[in-house]
Amino acid sequence: MKKLLLFSLIIAFYFPSETNAQRKKSKKNQTTNVKTTQKKKTPTYSDFVKKETKTDEGLFKVHETNNTFMYEIPKSYFGKEMLLVTRIKDIPAGLGGGYVNAGSKINTQVIVWEQYKNKILLKVKSYNAVANDSLPIYKSVKANNLEPIIYAFDIKSQNQDATAVLIDVTKFFSSDVKAITGLPSFYRKTYKVKRLDASRSFINSIKSYPENIEVVQDFTFDADAPPSNKRTNTITLRINQSMILLPENPMMPRIHDKRVGYFSIGNVDYSSEALKADSKRYIRRWRLEPKDPAAYARGELVEPVKPIVYYLDPATPDKLKKFIKQGVDDWQKVFETAGFKNAIMAKYAPTKEEDPEFSMEDVRYSSIRYVASTTRNATGPSVSDPRTGEIIESDIIWYHNHLRSYRNRYLLETGAANPSARTLNTPAADIGEMMRMVISHEVGHALGLPHNMAASFAYPVDSLRSGKFTQKYGIAATIMDYARYNYVAQPGDKNVRFIRQLGPYDHYAINWGYRLIPNANKPEDEIKTLDKWIEDKANNPMYRFGGQRFDPSAQTEGIGNDQVKASTYGIKNLKIVAKNLPNWTSNQTNNYEDLSELYGELLGVWNRYVGHVTGNIGGVYEFNKKPEQTGNVYVNVDKKRQKESLIWLQNNVFSTQNWLLDKNILNKIDESGYTERFLRYQNRHLNTLLNTNTLKRMIDAEVIQSNFYPASEMIRDLRKGIFSETNSLKNVDVYRRNLQKSFIQKIETLLIDKKAKNTDISSIVRGELEALKYQLNTASKRATNRITKYHYKDCLVMVNNILNPKN
């Protein structure tokens, strides 16, 4: 009996009763059913948009609840094209080497929001390839240009009338999403960036405006080599993401023509009737439409429906505001040439009391930002519609220290002929005029105009010494050239303008790009009229556009149509400045800091004047034309001008320039390094002359031009000039010794340059080395000065090693 009882107890322990089991099962099922019911509950709008939620009305409603951000996207916006612009809002010191600043644009891309099942997809759309959507080939273009998805969002809920969806964008904007990063791969590599530290990164703010949404991200990265505060191993950036709704009705684009300078956008059009895809380019410009089209058509000046307005940064110093405003307003007269009055203007930003909703981040407002930076520069970036080239907004940037550059250049380049420049305390009116013209230059960029370096070649050199001419035409035909100062004017010239200004090309280019052409319904309808406007001015150098490359008539910082003559005037003035530099600097300040700074920049000015002449040798003029115009597109500089330029270089560069090497300055600013510094400048021009591309252009000239300067003759002339001491008993000074060795080293590199292989270059170099060997051998025997003798023998060894390498 006891055994039976014990057995029953054991069975009961291991196998619960059916009743208990059913009870537990029932409870488990109840729990499961409760959980299932909870899972199946559909979240409602009020679960995300609560009483404590802050809502910002605008393009999309933006809801914030305890640092969680939601976008309420109207379904009507699905598929609509928007521009996503990534900028740096605030920046650590030194990032990008000083030329990246608060406001710098990192990336621009067209995006669309699309629904796919229960997801909202953010896609990047490309306009590199296009086709009319009514044509069969449109399907192929779409199939071969699949749009990347940069993020997929879960749909959290809909609004009450189901016209909009809610998505959570918190993770998207607080993560290191490469497609919208403010720290591109180049910077990550340079600064050895490891990762984004989520604990020190967050969304600063999201604000919605009628046409855009602005997101500010505070991101902190771990980095082994940050640009500043290196011991922190940290880079912190404030990044701004602008999402801008593109115009519903795109502006009719204007076809780009390289004979007139405009920034442009391009695509490949598969709708073309040509036997290939047609590459098209459109100029970048603002949309200006007349308020009164009938009056505009009659040739009357008419205000635009929407003028171009720039707001001044409240951080701008009060004393400078009027000059910045003038720099913008100066373009009003230019736009009148295109038929518009009051087309562009600058305004002071409203106060909070005047307009509490005003923000410099709002895409409806373009701005001129004043940046606290030691960088000496200014920029004129803009954001444009990639479909048409329409400029949507622009933020011109002025760096605080930029005026220092202008003061120094003003003193160095005009001080000989301009008494008001002979001081470190430049008159306020002069500083203001300089700033005004810099702003005008940057506004020109923001209007779509690139640099036009050929404009300074339009004026005869001696006209730049005329007060009447320069007061009317300035010192270059456009503000878009880098012709900052009149360094040609000589002491005694009367009423000469020294600072640049807007010129005739600016009126011409704005008219060409902005004047409306009647009865033109598509871009192709405008071509005939646009061509005529160009051809009417084609023979006048004031209206020529040229880009800087191999063309000596399109160089930065040059003025006048004769580089040799202009640089001769410039150096004549510079000698006067060099002689007086201590009187205008250290003698006034009782320290040598400004003297040291200005002497270094004086060498830079001399170097630029020299560079303008160097460009003539192997230079090719470029005259952009269409076949119906007469004349060649490419014309080599004639032999006489090239030989004249080389003689000038021998006298003003390769000969020792004692006026530049004044011991009364050198022994006040540095303990050593004078010879090395001067050689660096000489080498720049030596390298240009003995550059493979320069020599190849000279060799090619033999094929297309009768009056050419042979490369062999140029190198021979260069060698004879640089080693002229070998023809006499004259001792070689230290500067010339350095230069002569440098010449040998440079021509040695031509023998091993792969681009020079199988060309005449190696033949010419070997021939010149043999001639030099004979010169050095003879000279070393005649030399009486010990260091000169040693130098010749050293050069002889160098030449022999090149001609007869041991390996």
Side-chain angles (χ1 to χ4, degrees), residues 756-773:
K757 191 176 181 180
N758 298 324
T759 71
D760 283 347
I761 295 173
S762 59
S763 305
I764 295 168
V765 168
R766 289 186 189 280
E768 287 303 311
L769 284 170
E770 290 286 359
L772 181 56
K773 178 181 177 181

Side-chain angles (χ1 to χ4, degrees), residues 402-427:
H402 199 30
L403 283 176
R404 178 86 169 191
S405 296
Y406 278 82
R407 181 205 71 174
N408 290 358
R409 293 276 299 273
Y410 190 53
L411 185 153
L412 294 169
E413 295 186 33
T414 76
N418 178 15
S420 68
R422 300 167 189 167
T423 175
L424 296 174
N425 299 310
T426 311

Side-chain angles (χ1 to χ4, degrees), residues 636-672:
N636 294 81
V637 178
D638 66 73
K639 181 177 182 179
K640 181 181 178 182
R641 175 55 58 91
Q642 292 191 60
K643 284 185 74 72
E644 176 191 27
S645 298
L646 188 60
I647 293 168
W648 189 93
L649 291 172
Q650 297 281 18
N651 293 329
N652 292 279
V653 187
F654 300 135
S655 296
T656 302
Q657 304 299 298
N658 290 311
W659 67 272
L660 267 182
L661 305 165
D662 187 345
K663 63 182 181 181
N664 292 319
I665 294 177
L666 296 180
N667 60 22
K668 304 294 193 305
I669 64 174
D670 227 330
E671 85 288 352
S672 63

Side-chain angles (χ1 to χ4, degrees), residues 86 145 164 169-170 175 200 245 327 421 458 462 517 522 582 614 617 642 679 684 707 736 749 787:
T86 303
N145 291 273
V169 297
T170 310
S175 303
R200 293 180 288 165
L245 181 66
D462 283 326
I517 297 175
K522 59 182 186 296
T614 306
I617 299 169
Q642 292 191 60
L679 180 63
R684 290 180 188 179
N707 184 25
R736 293 281 286 180
T749 64
I787 188 61

Side-chain angles (χ1 to χ4, degrees), residues 505-558:
Y505 174 86
D506 301 310
H507 290 260
Y508 162 72
I510 291 296
N511 181 72
W512 189 91
Y514 281 87
R515 179 172 285 279
L516 300 184
I517 297 175
N519 305 317
N521 299 313
K522 59 182 186 296
E524 291 73 16
D525 294 343
E526 297 185 329
I527 292 176
K528 186 176 181 180
T529 299
L530 294 172
D531 279 351
K532 186 177 185 306
W533 289 347
I534 293 172
E535 289 157 14
D536 287 346
K537 306 286 190 182
N539 296 321
N540 190 331
M542 288 188 185
Y543 305 106
R544 176 179 167 231
F545 174 73
Q548 179 197 13
R549 284 182 298 165
F550 44 77
D551 186 342
S553 69
Q555 300 187 75
T556 63
E557 315 288 354

